[in-house]
């Protein structure tokens, strides 16, 4: 996995410029920032530099199937009363960037500084592009909350370092099925509604059952515009779902899963039941 460690990223602050050549932007930072102001891995502010408005993937979770390769952006605003000299964001999963369990993912330019466009004498809008391929760079344990480590430096050598400038979700893609039977069915008879909730396994390259999850059985009467919840049941072995209801009127049944931090919400395609 292409990665940089938190220590490498932070070396821009704490080593002489001659030894920071491998870190994009590090040489100039090392010449201007006082090492004793850094207390990794906490947030650090020196002067009036600020980072704000961080948005990952347009504000949506980054969802990966078994072999998905996805490119997405991180945008943010950096400001300083002297103007912005450089900025950089790195993505990671874990308690902090030093202890991240997946390394720390640099942008497509190998960790080069963000592309920043000045919108005033003090403020710049910055953007970076990241690419991750699930079956090569992710383990199932990496699903969940990720964080954006970010830094910005003003032209006057003020700077800010944020351990968690923004949190976002990296999620395992989900699938949900439903089947209501028998059909057609006489009114008043029992309908059995089965289905399964599965999600991508990045390690095994297939979809596997998501066990013990609450899923709603919903019904939409023929001619109605929306579903209503009939009951909530939990998935069992292999993500299986099974319950029974009484046939009353024609309509469509579906299962609906609200999602978790590791797995996005998903609705099954409805199954129409004709009552006779």
């Amino acid at each position: 996995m292409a990665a940089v460690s938190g220590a490498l990223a932070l070396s821009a602050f704490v080593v002489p410029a001659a030894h920071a050549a491998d870190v994009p932007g590090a040489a100039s930072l090392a010449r201007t920032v006082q090492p004793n102001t850094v207390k990794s891995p906490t947030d650090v502010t020196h002067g009036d530099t600020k980072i704000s408005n961080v948005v990952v993937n347009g504000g949506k979770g980054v969802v990966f199937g078994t072999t998905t390769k996805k490119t997405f952006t991180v945008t943010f605003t950096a400001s300083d009363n002297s103007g912005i000299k450089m900025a950089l964001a790195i993505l990671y999963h874990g308690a902090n960037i030093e202890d991240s369990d997946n390394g720390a993912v640099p942008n497509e330019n190998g960790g080069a500084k963000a592309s920043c466009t000045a919108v005033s004498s003090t403020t710049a809008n910055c953007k970076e592009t990241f690419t991750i391929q699930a079956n090569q760079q992710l383990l199932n344990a990496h699903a969940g909350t990720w964080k954006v480590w970010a830094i910005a430096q003003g032209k006057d050598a003020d700077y800010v370092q944020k351990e968690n400038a923004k949190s976002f979700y990296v999620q395992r893609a989900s699938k949900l099925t439903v089947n209501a039977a028998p059909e057609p069915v006489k009114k008043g008879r029992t309908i059995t509604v089965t289905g399964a909730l599965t999600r991508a396994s990045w390690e095994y390259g297939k979809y596997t059952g998501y066990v013990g999850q609450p899923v709603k059985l919903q019904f939409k009467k023929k001619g109605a515009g929306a579903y209503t919840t009939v009951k909530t049941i939990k998935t069992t072995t292999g993500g299986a779902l099974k319950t029974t209801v009484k046939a009353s009127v024609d309509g469509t049944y579906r299962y609906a899963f609200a999602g978790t931090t590791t797995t996005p919400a998903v609705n099954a395609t409805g199954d129409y039941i004709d009552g006779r």
Side-chain angles (χ1 to χ4, degrees), residues 85-231:
K85 182 176 182 180
M86 67 85 67
L88 174 68
I90 298 172
L91 311 181
Y92 71 96
H93 177 265
N96 55 65
I97 197 167
E98 293 289 349
D99 300 317
S100 61
D101 58 12
N102 66 315
V105 181
N107 59 40
E108 281 197 325
N109 294 325
K113 63 184 181 180
S115 174
C116 295
T117 302
V119 294
S120 72
S121 61
T122 63
T123 305
N125 289 335
C126 302
K127 180 179 180 180
E128 292 183 53
T129 301
F130 295 82
T131 297
I132 296 176
Q133 183 157 350
N135 57 323
Q136 295 182 8
Q137 295 172 257
L138 297 173
L139 299 176
N140 292 340
H142 295 154
T145 302
W146 282 48
K147 301 170 185 175
V148 180
W149 182 96
I151 177 177
Q153 182 191 17
K155 293 179 180 179
D156 58 1
D158 287 350
Y159 69 95
V160 62
Q161 169 195 310
K162 297 181 77 68
E163 182 74 17
N164 183 11
K166 184 71 175 182
S167 296
F168 65 101
Y169 293 145
V170 170
Q171 296 176 306
R172 298 164 61 178
S174 53
K175 295 181 179 180
L176 187 56
T177 61
V178 66
N179 181 59
E183 45 185 318
V185 63
K186 290 183 179 180
K187 292 180 181 179
R189 294 292 181 89
T190 297
I191 299 171
T192 300
V193 187
T194 58
L197 173 64
T198 58
R199 57 179 179 165
S201 171
W202 300 325
E203 296 166 15
Y204 295 104
K206 61 182 181 180
Y207 281 74
T208 56
Y210 197 8
V211 178
Q213 298 304 306
V215 177
K216 294 179 180 179
L217 174 65
Q218 298 182 325
F219 180 73
K220 182 171 68 174
K221 183 180 177 180
K222 181 179 180 180
Y227 284 89
T228 58
T229 297
V230 178
K231 64 174 74 173

Side-chain angles (χ1 to χ4, degrees), residues 243-269:
T243 190
T244 58
V245 292
K246 293 291 185 181
S248 57
V249 296
D250 296 351
T252 303
Y253 285 95
R254 76 173 184 185
Y255 281 118
F257 174 60
T260 63
T261 57
T262 63
T263 310
V266 62
N267 295 326
T269 300

Side-chain angles (χ1 to χ4, degrees), residues 12-26:
F13 297 103
V14 298
V15 300
H19 298 289
D22 292 335
V23 183

